[in-house]
Amino acid sequence: MSTLPSKQLETFDNAVPERDYTIHIETPEFTCLCPKTGQPDFATIKIDYVPDLKCVELKSLKLYFWSYREEGGFHEKLTNQILTDLVAATAPRFMRVTGIFNVRGGVYTNVVAEYRKEGWVAPTPVHLP
Amino acid sequence: MSTLPSKQLETFDNAVPERDYTIHIETPEFTCLCPKTGQPDFATIKIDYVPDLKCVELKSLKLYFWSYREEGGFHEKLTNQILTDLVAATAPRFMRVTGIFNVRGGVYTNVVAEYRKEGWVAPTPVHLP
Amino acid sequence: MSTLPSKQLETFDNAVPERDYTIHIETPEFTCLCPKTGQPDFATIKIDYVPDLKCVELKSLKLYFWSYREEGGFHEKLTNQILTDLVAATAPRFMRVTGIFNVRGGVYTNVVAEYRKEGWVAPTPVHLP
Amino acid sequence: MSTLPSKQLETFDNAVPERDYTIHIETPEFTCLCPKTGQPDFATIKIDYVPDLKCVELKSLKLYFWSYREEGGFHEKLTNQILTDLVAATAPRFMRVTGIFNVRGGVYTNVVAEYRKEGWVAPTPVHLP
Amino acid sequence: MSTLPSKQLETFDNAVPERDYTIHIETPEFTCLCPKTGQPDFATIKIDYVPDLKCVELKSLKLYFWSYREEGGFHEKLTNQILTDLVAATAPRFMRVTGIFNVRGGVYTNVVAEYRKEGWVAPTPVHLP
Amino acid sequence: MSTLPSKQLETFDNAVPERDYTIHIETPEFTCLCPKTGQPDFATIKIDYVPDLKCVELKSLKLYFWSYREEGGFHEKLTNQILTDLVAATAPRFMRVTGIFNVRGGVYTNVVAEYRKEGWVAPTPVHLP
Amino acid sequence: MSTLPSKQLETFDNAVPERDYTIHIETPEFTCLCPKTGQPDFATIKIDYVPDLKCVELKSLKLYFWSYREEGGFHEKLTNQILTDLVAATAPRFMRVTGIFNVRGGVYTNVVAEYRKEGWVAPTPVHLP
Amino acid sequence: MSTLPSKQLETFDNAVPERDYTIHIETPEFTCLCPKTGQPDFATIKIDYVPDLKCVELKSLKLYFWSYREEGGFHEKLTNQILTDLVAATAPRFMRVTGIFNVRGGVYTNVVAEYRKEGWVAPTPVHLP
Amino acid sequence: MSTLPSKQLETFDNAVPERDYTIHIETPEFTCLCPKTGQPDFATIKIDYVPDLKCVELKSLKLYFWSYREEGGFHEKLTNQILTDLVAATAPRFMRVTGIFNVRGGVYTNVVAEYRKEGWVAPTPVHLP
Amino acid sequence: MSTLPSKQLETFDNAVPERDYTIHIETPEFTCLCPKTGQPDFATIKIDYVPDLKCVELKSLKLYFWSYREEGGFHEKLTNQILTDLVAATAPRFMRVTGIFNVRGGVYTNVVAEYRKEGWVAPTPVHLP
Ligand SMILES: [Ca+2]
Ligand SMILES: [Ca+2]
Ligand SMILES: [Ca+2]
Ligand SMILES: [Ca+2]
Ligand SMILES: [Ca+2]
Ligand SMILES: [Ca+2]
Ligand SMILES: [Ca+2]
Ligand SMILES: [Ca+2]
Ligand SMILES: [Ca+2]
Ligand SMILES: [Ca+2]
Ligand SMILES: [Ca+2]
Ligand SMILES: [Ca+2]
Ligand SMILES: [Ca+2]
Ligand SMILES: [Ca+2]
Ligand SMILES: [Ca+2]
Ligand SMILES: [Ca+2]
């Protein structure tokens, strides 16, 4: 695998496809360019998903995030684009992408987008006391 | 866009209207005048919404908040007014406005108001373990 | 309005009776006397309510809290009494009173009591991701 | 009431039996002996309950906790025993006992046990925004 | 019981099988080897379960965790393996295993897997206010 | 000793007068009246001292704090008065009194006053790495 | 005293001029205008001082802070100006003013300025262990 | 070594007597009896020392702390006694014992006592920026 | 001033050169490239300085930080380079630059470098109690 | 460089030997074996140093820490050994090693050891207000 920024997301086989289980991934090291001013923007990106047959490979995910370093993008569009790309690569049962953008002009902004595979129903959550 | 305080909220087209997704906005930089004493009041304002066809533009939102700097307003009325204005500007599927006002006389006050578009049903939340 | 302690709770008209919205009030400045020892007790009092036609006026609420300064009262009874008095004064759709009492003898105690107006149904909560 | 450790839990009449309300009690000052090594064990004990006709008296509860000072007990059994004793003494509508035991060998352990009176149904919770 | 690393999980009889209650176990002292680089990986492991007839014995659990010290394993597979082994040893009503892995390359990863015994239904949770 | 508020501070003999050592005392349960408005004021009071021949007895200190409950006093004067009274009662080698007053009108105020016995020199502090 | 913004700082006599003691004042409610853009700026202002013959009156200090609401000012100049004005009004033995300005463009800025009365020497600090 | 409570502190040879270095020890698991009421008291005990020829053995220290479980003792005396005993056992170059006692009657108390070997001078501390 | 990355640091005249005062600047938005792998590195950069005749202009400082976005640099060299450049631009009385680099391979690294103008002596610090 | 555990510490030339500056390194990923029980021990290790002509290379430092994975060692000896090895490899002007060991038997232990090159004097620290 190359160590250059890349839009190519690698996957590996889910070792436990018989279970609905959760993978949480989080990086505070996301940066892109502001589409209005061209100046750097910074964010924390969180991914929560229930894999189906494929899991996203973490090194390629890091190169994928890197690929935004020289790209502009509004917060809303960018967060949805990451979701769309990860869904295309992994075809998960469920996925949520959260973008927590650094404060600008005294205003904090987060964007949260979700995908659910058609027909998939989340297991009834067990809330232990 | 002018850099004077303004009640005029600008919007832009929602790039992903096919999805119900969430935008969180928060500013600790809200100030108005106390309607009783005329002295400055301070608050943090939070907005959580699911856009329909339009998203609120952040720079105009900042000018909108600025427009309260010389206005008086009770906490309850003011928080509801911000909701009413943002709903009028963006016609969202759902919106919640929270006003967290600074302590006065040893008493802390928050106000939370919500709008739901008629016929809109929130997606069943997925609580991942 | 007098600046003496008073059991008289003042109200003002709810400016937005057409909406179910929430008002949170909290004070860390509550003190009464222990009914067993006569010594001072201290607590934080929280009020969360959905107003109907009337809202409680904050200055009179402060004088109301002050009125407990020379009164004894068990934690359970006192928290319920505050709820009863505030319901009598404001006839809300919903109200919750929480008393968080300072540690005594190594033991921390909280009491939480709620009132719901007959026939009032809480709006289905929207849990945004 | 004696100031010696005692298994005897005292109660007083619930002043507001017409309401389902909550009493939270917490002490970081619980200690017993490890049933394997005989050495001291330490825990925080939390009690959350909805009283029916009787409330537990706090001073006797403190003497009750003290009664474990020279007793051995596995975490699971001990937490359930406290629940059983408190239910026997107060016949509550609902009670939860949580034991948060100090780390041993790099491992943290909590145990949570609940009792519900037959036929009692918890009020539908109101989640205010 | 030996003090060598061991895959053998010991159990003891659940003293209160008539109740659904919760046992939380957590250790910040888990280490294995990265299957790609062979270098040490570190994690916090959490276990939440409702025992049926058997509880896991904590000393043997510690030796079990120790047994991973010289083994490689991907985060997803390893977390699921711990769940599978603990379910085989204790046949619980419900069990959740959470692996919180140390940051690598600026990326944080958690994995959460659950088991529910067939036919077991979690008690309706009581949410006290 | 009576359980009424009292300006009378009790002491006991310092058991280790041959050592300069430190006693820290802190209470979040101080309340007095505002000398301007007559309304309750609240504070945390901290005392740090090096005893000479006498230590302050904690129960009488609590009654002493209680004696301010119906008295007015400016923050500066009141903090200095507590120092003067405690020095008169205990004749310490060193004493510091800190008053941390609750926010009023958006302004937080602390006052810190110290006493040093003539001729007493603080031991050179040892700053361990 | 008027309740309009005012540059006039009121003082009262120091009740304990024979002692060097410390008064800490802090407000999170400072706002002015950015001298470049004309848009609101926000800051927390801290004052630490050793009074000589006069103390600053808190209500007039609040009106003084209010007087900046419609004024522009660079962070460095503004913090030094507040120090200069407070020194002119109170002639203290020592004073420190700290301005903690809200983040702008991803950059946080604080400014700290001090005044020492000629000939005044700070008491040797006592560092209790 | 026995696993019964014991006043006997064991030591081992300092492996690096040629260096002044620091050992910090802390336990939140200290309990004794109140000399006035006979009821349990709880504390966190901290020890900071520079060993000379001997270091205190941790298992015997734990048995030593255990030996206070059935003993009464005022906070001031007890903290100084622990220091005296540890100095007698280890003859350190420097030692500090801190007792942080649980809140009683709304009052928090700490006691800090130090020992310095005659002729020992603490190395000039290096404060790295 | 251009909105492109730039090594050119702009300054403005210190408005209060007669005082030694402190300016703290901090940004969590610093990113460069790892000189070994070419992959992005992230850091928080702090600057603390006592200006002489010139202060650094914040917008140009932001462009300066931006100029590292496509450059490689070891942590130690890079932090020292920022100090050297800022000293060259502003000729301060004192300056400290701190680089807090994101964790890599489980290891956290900070670098702190200082400059002092010849002949400048820091004012004796006043430690208020 | 190999990716096997190794006692061999690599260095690189200090790029700025003309300045006394500080490098802080910290890892929460240290594990060794208890010399008494043979079971795993865990610690956080911190290193603070002022380099002279050589800096420690981070990848080799990681392999060095790894080399303790199968070794036993008392806390005091081990922390001093790390200092001795790092001083031998880098000959710094100053170095401090801190070992923060995980709680065992309810007792927390830290060890801090320092080295100063003969003749080196730490620069007078500048404490900015
Ligand atoms: Ca961030
Ligand atoms: Ca932004
Ligand atoms: Ca605020
Ligand atoms: Ca308010
Ligand atoms: Ca209480
Ligand atoms: Ca504890
Ligand atoms: Ca345990
Ligand atoms: Ca960890
Ligand atoms: Ca990992
Ligand atoms: Ca308080
Ligand atoms: Ca005040
Ligand atoms: Ca700013
Ligand atoms: Ca105590
Ligand atoms: Ca960071
Ligand atoms: Ca790094
Ligand atoms: Ca240890």
Side-chain angles (χ1 to χ4, degrees):
Chain A
M1 193 185 312
S2 119
T3 55
L4 289 174
S6 159
K7 291 290 184 202
Q8 192 68 36
L9 286 158
E10 307 290 334
T11 62
F12 61 90
D13 285 354
N14 179 5
V16 201
E18 64 275 20
R19 271 194 200 130
D20 276 344
Y21 68 97
T22 308
I23 302 173
H24 302 273
I25 297 169
E26 178 170 342
T27 184
E29 302 191 348
F30 183 89
T31 181
C32 58
L33 299 177
C34 172
K36 286 187 178 162
T37 66
Q39 295 199 336
D41 261 351
F42 290 83
T44 288
I45 302 292
K46 297 186 184 185
I47 299 163
D48 305 273
Y49 75 108
V50 180
D52 192 1
L53 301 180
K54 290 185 279 188
C55 298
V56 66
E57 201 276 331
L58 288 182
K59 283 234 166 63
S60 80
L61 181 63
K62 203 179 167 188
L63 302 182
Y64 172 79
F65 287 147
W66 187 6
S67 76
Y68 285 91
R69 196 172 175 90
E70 306 306 324
E71 289 187 17
F74 289 95
H75 299 157
E76 292 81 359
K77 199 169 177 181
L78 189 148
T79 307
N80 277 285
Q81 185 64 47
I82 293 173
L83 175 61
T84 298
D85 289 354
L86 278 161
V87 166
T90 64
R93 295 174 194 164
F94 174 82
M95 183 172 279
R96 177 187 301 135
V97 173
T98 304
I100 302 170
F101 293 88
N102 273 17
V103 56
R104 284 292 176 270
V107 178
Y108 296 78
T109 314
N110 297 0
V111 181
V112 192
E114 293 182 351
Y115 163 86
R116 300 180 208 204
K117 187 180 170 179
E118 261 213 74
W120 182 74
V121 178
T124 315
V126 171
H127 295 294
L128 298 179
Chain B
M1 194 185 311
S2 119
T3 56
L4 290 173
S6 160
K7 291 289 183 201
Q8 191 68 36
L9 285 159
E10 307 288 335
T11 63
F12 60 90
D13 285 354
N14 178 5
V16 201
E18 63 274 20
R19 271 192 200 134
D20 275 346
Y21 69 96
T22 307
I23 302 174
H24 301 273
I25 296 170
E26 178 170 343
T27 184
E29 302 192 348
F30 183 89
T31 182
C32 59
L33 299 177
C34 173
K36 287 187 179 161
T37 66
Q39 295 198 337
D41 261 352
F42 290 82
T44 288
I45 303 292
K46 297 187 185 186
I47 299 163
D48 305 273
Y49 75 109
V50 180
D52 191 2
L53 300 180
K54 291 187 278 187
C55 298
V56 65
E57 201 276 333
L58 288 181
K59 284 233 166 65
S60 80
L61 180 63
K62 203 179 167 188
L63 301 183
Y64 172 79
F65 287 146
W66 188 5
S67 76
Y68 286 90
R69 196 172 174 91
E70 304 307 322
E71 287 188 16
F74 288 95
H75 299 158
E76 292 82 358
K77 198 167 178 184
L78 188 149
T79 307
N80 277 285
Q81 185 64 47
I82 294 174
L83 176 61
T84 298
D85 289 354
L86 278 161
V87 166
T90 64
R93 293 174 194 164
F94 174 83
M95 182 172 280
R96 177 187 300 135
V97 173
T98 304
I100 303 169
F101 293 88
N102 273 17
V103 56
R104 284 293 177 268
V107 178
Y108 296 78
T109 316
N110 297 0
V111 181
V112 192
E114 291 182 352
Y115 162 85
R116 299 179 208 203
K117 187 181 170 179
E118 262 213 73
W120 182 74
V121 179
T124 315
V126 171
H127 296 294
L128 298 180
Chain C
M1 193 185 310
S2 119
T3 57
L4 291 172
S6 160
K7 290 290 183 203
Q8 192 68 36
L9 286 159
E10 307 288 335
T11 63
F12 60 90
D13 286 355
N14 179 4
V16 201
E18 64 274 20
R19 269 193 200 132
D20 275 346
Y21 69 96
T22 308
I23 302 174
H24 302 273
I25 296 170
E26 178 171 343
T27 184
E29 302 192 347
F30 184 89
T31 182
C32 58
L33 299 177
C34 174
K36 288 187 177 161
T37 66
Q39 294 198 337
D41 261 352
F42 290 82
T44 289
I45 303 292
K46 296 186 184 184
I47 299 163
D48 305 273
Y49 74 109
V50 179
D52 192 3
L53 300 180
K54 291 187 278 187
C55 298
V56 65
E57 201 276 333
L58 289 181
K59 284 233 165 65
S60 79
L61 181 63
K62 204 179 167 188
L63 301 183
Y64 172 79
F65 287 147
W66 187 4
S67 74
Y68 286 91
R69 196 171 174 93
E70 305 307 322
E71 289 187 16
F74 289 96
H75 299 157
E76 293 81 358
K77 198 166 177 184
L78 188 149
T79 308
N80 277 284
Q81 185 64 47
I82 293 173
L83 175 61
T84 298
D85 289 354
L86 278 160
V87 165
T90 63
R93 294 174 193 164
F94 174 83
M95 184 173 278
R96 178 186 300 135
V97 172
T98 305
I100 303 169
F101 293 88
N102 273 17
V103 56
R104 284 292 175 269
V107 178
Y108 296 78
T109 315
N110 298 359
V111 181
V112 192
E114 292 181 351
Y115 161 86
R116 299 180 209 203
K117 187 181 171 177
E118 261 214 72
W120 181 74
V121 178
T124 315
V126 171
H127 296 294
L128 297 180
Chain D
M1 192 185 311
S2 119
T3 55
L4 290 173
S6 160
K7 289 291 183 202
Q8 192 68 36
L9 286 158
E10 307 289 334
T11 62
F12 61 89
D13 286 355
N14 178 5
V16 201
E18 64 274 21
R19 271 194 199 131
D20 276 345
Y21 69 96
T22 308
I23 302 173
H24 302 274
I25 296 170
E26 178 169 344
T27 185
E29 302 192 348
F30 184 89
T31 181
C32 57
L33 299 177
C34 174
K36 287 188 177 161
T37 67
Q39 294 198 336
D41 261 352
F42 290 82
T44 288
I45 303 292
K46 296 186 186 186
I47 300 163
D48 305 273
Y49 74 109
V50 179
D52 192 1
L53 300 180
K54 292 187 277 187
C55 297
V56 66
E57 200 276 332
L58 288 182
K59 283 231 165 66
S60 80
L61 181 63
K62 204 179 167 187
L63 302 183
Y64 172 79
F65 286 147
W66 188 3
S67 75
Y68 286 92
R69 196 170 174 94
E70 304 307 323
E71 289 187 17
F74 288 96
H75 300 157
E76 291 81 0
K77 198 168 178 182
L78 189 148
T79 308
N80 276 285
Q81 185 64 48
I82 293 173
L83 175 61
T84 298
D85 289 353
L86 278 160
V87 165
T90 63
R93 295 175 192 164
F94 174 83
M95 185 173 277
R96 177 186 299 135
V97 173
T98 304
I100 302 169
F101 293 88
N102 273 17
V103 56
R104 285 291 176 271
V107 177
Y108 296 78
T109 315
N110 298 358
V111 182
V112 192
E114 290 181 352
Y115 163 85
R116 299 179 209 203
K117 186 180 171 178
E118 262 213 72
W120 181 75
V121 179
T124 315
V126 171
H127 296 294
L128 297 180
Chain E
M1 192 185 312
S2 119
T3 55
L4 290 173
S6 160
K7 291 290 184 203
Q8 192 67 37
L9 285 158
E10 307 289 334
T11 62
F12 61 91
D13 285 355
N14 179 4
V16 201
E18 63 275 20
R19 271 195 200 131
D20 276 345
Y21 69 97
T22 308
I23 301 173
H24 301 273
I25 296 170
E26 178 169 343
T27 184
E29 302 192 348
F30 183 90
T31 180
C32 58
L33 299 177
C34 173
K36 287 189 178 160
T37 66
Q39 295 198 337
D41 262 350
F42 290 82
T44 289
I45 303 292
K46 297 186 185 185
I47 299 163
D48 305 273
Y49 74 108
V50 179
D52 191 2
L53 300 179
K54 290 186 278 188
C55 298
V56 66
E57 200 276 331
L58 288 182
K59 284 232 166 65
S60 81
L61 181 62
K62 204 180 166 187
L63 302 183
Y64 172 78
F65 287 147
W66 188 5
S67 76
Y68 286 91
R69 196 171 174 92
E70 305 307 322
E71 289 187 16
F74 288 96
H75 299 157
E76 293 81 0
K77 199 168 178 183
L78 189 149
T79 308
N80 277 285
Q81 185 63 46
I82 293 173
L83 175 61
T84 297
D85 289 354
L86 278 161
V87 165
T90 64
R93 296 175 193 163
F94 174 82
M95 184 173 277
R96 177 187 300 135
V97 173
T98 304
I100 302 170
F101 293 88
N102 274 16
V103 56
R104 284 293 176 268
V107 178
Y108 296 78
T109 316
N110 298 358
V111 181
V112 192
E114 293 182 350
Y115 162 85
R116 300 180 208 202
K117 187 181 171 179
E118 260 213 74
W120 181 74
V121 178
T124 315
V126 171
H127 295 294
L128 298 180
Chain F
M1 192 186 312
S2 118
T3 56
L4 291 173
S6 159
K7 291 289 183 201
Q8 191 69 36
L9 286 159
E10 308 288 335
T11 63
F12 60 90
D13 284 356
N14 179 4
V16 202
E18 63 275 19
R19 269 192 200 134
D20 276 345
Y21 68 97
T22 308
I23 302 174
H24 302 273
I25 296 170
E26 177 171 343
T27 184
E29 301 191 350
F30 184 89
T31 182
C32 57
L33 299 178
C34 173
K36 287 187 179 161
T37 66
Q39 295 199 337
D41 260 352
F42 290 82
T44 288
I45 303 292
K46 297 186 184 185
I47 299 163
D48 305 272
Y49 74 108
V50 179
D52 192 2
L53 300 180
K54 290 187 278 188
C55 297
V56 66
E57 200 276 333
L58 289 182
K59 283 233 166 64
S60 80
L61 181 63
K62 204 180 168 188
L63 302 182
Y64 172 78
F65 286 148
W66 187 5
S67 75
Y68 286 91
R69 196 171 174 93
E70 305 306 323
E71 289 186 16
F74 288 96
H75 299 157
E76 292 81 1
K77 199 168 178 182
L78 189 148
T79 307
N80 277 285
Q81 184 64 47
I82 293 173
L83 176 60
T84 298
D85 289 353
L86 279 160
V87 165
T90 63
R93 294 173 194 165
F94 174 82
M95 184 173 279
R96 178 187 299 135
V97 173
T98 305
I100 303 169
F101 292 88
N102 273 17
V103 57
R104 285 292 176 268
V107 177
Y108 296 78
T109 315
N110 297 359
V111 181
V112 192
E114 291 182 352
Y115 162 86
R116 299 179 210 204
K117 187 181 171 178
E118 262 213 74
W120 181 74
V121 178
T124 316
V126 171
H127 295 294
L128 298 179
Chain G
M1 192 185 311
S2 119
T3 56
L4 290 174
S6 159
K7 290 289 182 202
Q8 191 70 34
L9 286 159
E10 308 287 336
T11 62
F12 61 91
D13 284 356
N14 179 5
V16 201
E18 64 274 20
R19 271 194 198 130
D20 275 345
Y21 68 96
T22 308
I23 301 174
H24 301 274
I25 296 170
E26 178 170 344
T27 184
E29 302 192 348
F30 184 89
T31 181
C32 58
L33 300 177
C34 174
K36 286 188 179 162
T37 66
Q39 294 198 336
D41 261 351
F42 290 82
T44 288
I45 302 292
K46 297 186 185 186
I47 299 163
D48 304 273
Y49 75 109
V50 180
D52 192 2
L53 300 180
K54 289 187 280 186
C55 298
V56 66
E57 200 276 332
L58 288 181
K59 284 233 166 64
S60 80
L61 181 63
K62 204 179 168 188
L63 302 183
Y64 172 78
F65 286 148
W66 187 4
S67 76
Y68 286 91
R69 195 171 175 93
E70 304 307 323
E71 289 187 17
F74 288 95
H75 299 157
E76 292 80 2
K77 198 168 178 183
L78 189 149
T79 307
N80 278 284
Q81 185 64 47
I82 293 173
L83 176 61
T84 298
D85 289 353
L86 278 161
V87 165
T90 64
R93 295 174 193 164
F94 174 82
M95 184 173 277
R96 178 186 299 134
V97 173
T98 304
I100 303 169
F101 293 88
N102 273 17
V103 57
R104 285 292 177 269
V107 177
Y108 296 77
T109 315
N110 296 359
V111 181
V112 192
E114 291 182 352
Y115 163 86
R116 299 179 209 204
K117 187 181 171 179
E118 261 213 74
W120 181 75
V121 178
T124 316
V126 171
H127 295 294
L128 298 180
Chain H
M1 193 185 313
S2 117
T3 56
L4 290 172
S6 160
K7 291 289 184 203
Q8 192 67 38
L9 286 159
E10 308 288 335
T11 63
F12 61 91
D13 285 355
N14 178 4
V16 201
E18 63 273 20
R19 270 195 199 130
D20 276 345
Y21 68 96
T22 308
I23 302 174
H24 302 274
I25 296 170
E26 178 170 344
T27 184
E29 301 192 348
F30 184 89
T31 181
C32 58
L33 299 177
C34 173
K36 287 188 179 161
T37 66
Q39 295 198 338
D41 262 352
F42 290 82
T44 288
I45 303 292
K46 297 187 184 185
I47 299 163
D48 305 272
Y49 74 110
V50 179
D52 191 3
L53 300 180
K54 290 187 278 188
C55 297
V56 67
E57 200 276 331
L58 288 182
K59 285 234 165 63
S60 80
L61 181 62
K62 203 179 168 187
L63 302 182
Y64 172 78
F65 287 146
W66 187 4
S67 76
Y68 285 91
R69 195 171 174 93
E70 305 306 323
E71 289 187 17
F74 288 96
H75 300 157
E76 292 82 0
K77 199 168 177 183
L78 188 149
T79 307
N80 277 285
Q81 185 63 47
I82 293 174
L83 176 61
T84 298
D85 289 354
L86 279 161
V87 165
T90 63
R93 295 174 193 164
F94 174 82
M95 184 173 279
R96 178 187 299 135
V97 173
T98 304
I100 303 169
F101 293 88
N102 274 16
V103 56
R104 284 291 175 270
V107 178
Y108 296 78
T109 315
N110 297 358
V111 181
V112 192
E114 292 182 352
Y115 163 86
R116 300 179 209 204
K117 187 181 171 179
E118 261 212 75
W120 181 75
V121 178
T124 316
V126 171
H127 296 294
L128 298 179
Chain I
M1 192 187 311
S2 118
T3 55
L4 290 173
S6 159
K7 291 289 183 203
Q8 191 69 36
L9 286 159
E10 307 290 334
T11 63
F12 60 90
D13 285 355
N14 179 4
V16 201
E18 63 275 20
R19 272 195 197 129
D20 275 345
Y21 68 96
T22 308
I23 301 174
H24 302 272
I25 296 170
E26 178 170 344
T27 184
E29 302 192 348
F30 184 89
T31 182
C32 59
L33 300 176
C34 174
K36 286 188 178 161
T37 66
Q39 294 198 338
D41 262 351
F42 290 82
T44 288
I45 303 293
K46 297 186 185 187
I47 299 163
D48 305 274
Y49 75 108
V50 179
D52 191 2
L53 300 180
K54 290 187 278 187
C55 298
V56 67
E57 201 276 331
L58 289 182
K59 284 233 166 65
S60 80
L61 181 63
K62 203 180 166 186
L63 302 183
Y64 173 78
F65 287 146
W66 187 4
S67 75
Y68 286 91
R69 195 172 175 93
E70 304 308 321
E71 289 187 17
F74 290 96
H75 299 156
E76 292 81 1
K77 197 167 179 183
L78 188 148
T79 307
N80 277 285
Q81 186 63 47
I82 293 173
L83 176 61
T84 298
D85 290 353
L86 278 161
V87 165
T90 63
R93 295 172 193 167
F94 174 82
M95 185 173 277
R96 178 186 299 134
V97 173
T98 305
I100 303 168
F101 293 88
N102 274 16
V103 56
R104 285 290 177 270
V107 178
Y108 296 78
T109 316
N110 297 359
V111 181
V112 191
E114 291 182 352
Y115 163 85
R116 299 180 209 202
K117 187 181 172 178
E118 262 213 73
W120 181 76
V121 179
T124 315
V126 172
H127 295 295
L128 297 181
Chain J
M1 193 186 311
S2 118
T3 56
L4 290 173
S6 160
K7 291 288 183 202
Q8 192 68 37
L9 286 158
E10 307 288 335
T11 62
F12 61 91
D13 285 355
N14 178 4
V16 200
E18 64 273 20
R19 271 195 198 130
D20 276 344
Y21 68 96
T22 308
I23 301 174
H24 302 274
I25 296 170
E26 178 170 344
T27 184
E29 301 192 347
F30 184 89
T31 181
C32 58
L33 299 176
C34 174
K36 287 188 178 161
T37 66
Q39 295 198 337
D41 261 351
F42 290 82
T44 288
I45 303 292
K46 297 186 184 186
I47 300 163
D48 305 274
Y49 75 110
V50 179
D52 191 3
L53 300 180
K54 290 187 279 188
C55 298
V56 66
E57 200 277 331
L58 289 182
K59 284 234 165 64
S60 81
L61 181 63
K62 204 180 167 185
L63 301 183
Y64 172 79
F65 287 147
W66 187 5
S67 77
Y68 286 91
R69 195 172 175 91
E70 305 307 323
E71 289 188 17
F74 288 96
H75 299 158
E76 292 81 0
K77 198 169 178 182
L78 188 148
T79 308
N80 277 285
Q81 185 63 47
I82 293 173
L83 175 61
T84 298
D85 289 354
L86 278 161
V87 166
T90 64
R93 295 174 192 165
F94 174 83
M95 184 173 280
R96 178 186 299 135
V97 173
T98 304
I100 302 169
F101 293 88
N102 274 16
V103 56
R104 285 291 177 269
V107 178
Y108 296 77
T109 315
N110 297 358
V111 181
V112 192
E114 292 181 352
Y115 162 85
R116 299 179 208 204
K117 187 182 172 178
E118 262 212 73
W120 181 76
V121 178
T124 315
V126 171
H127 295 295
L128 296 180

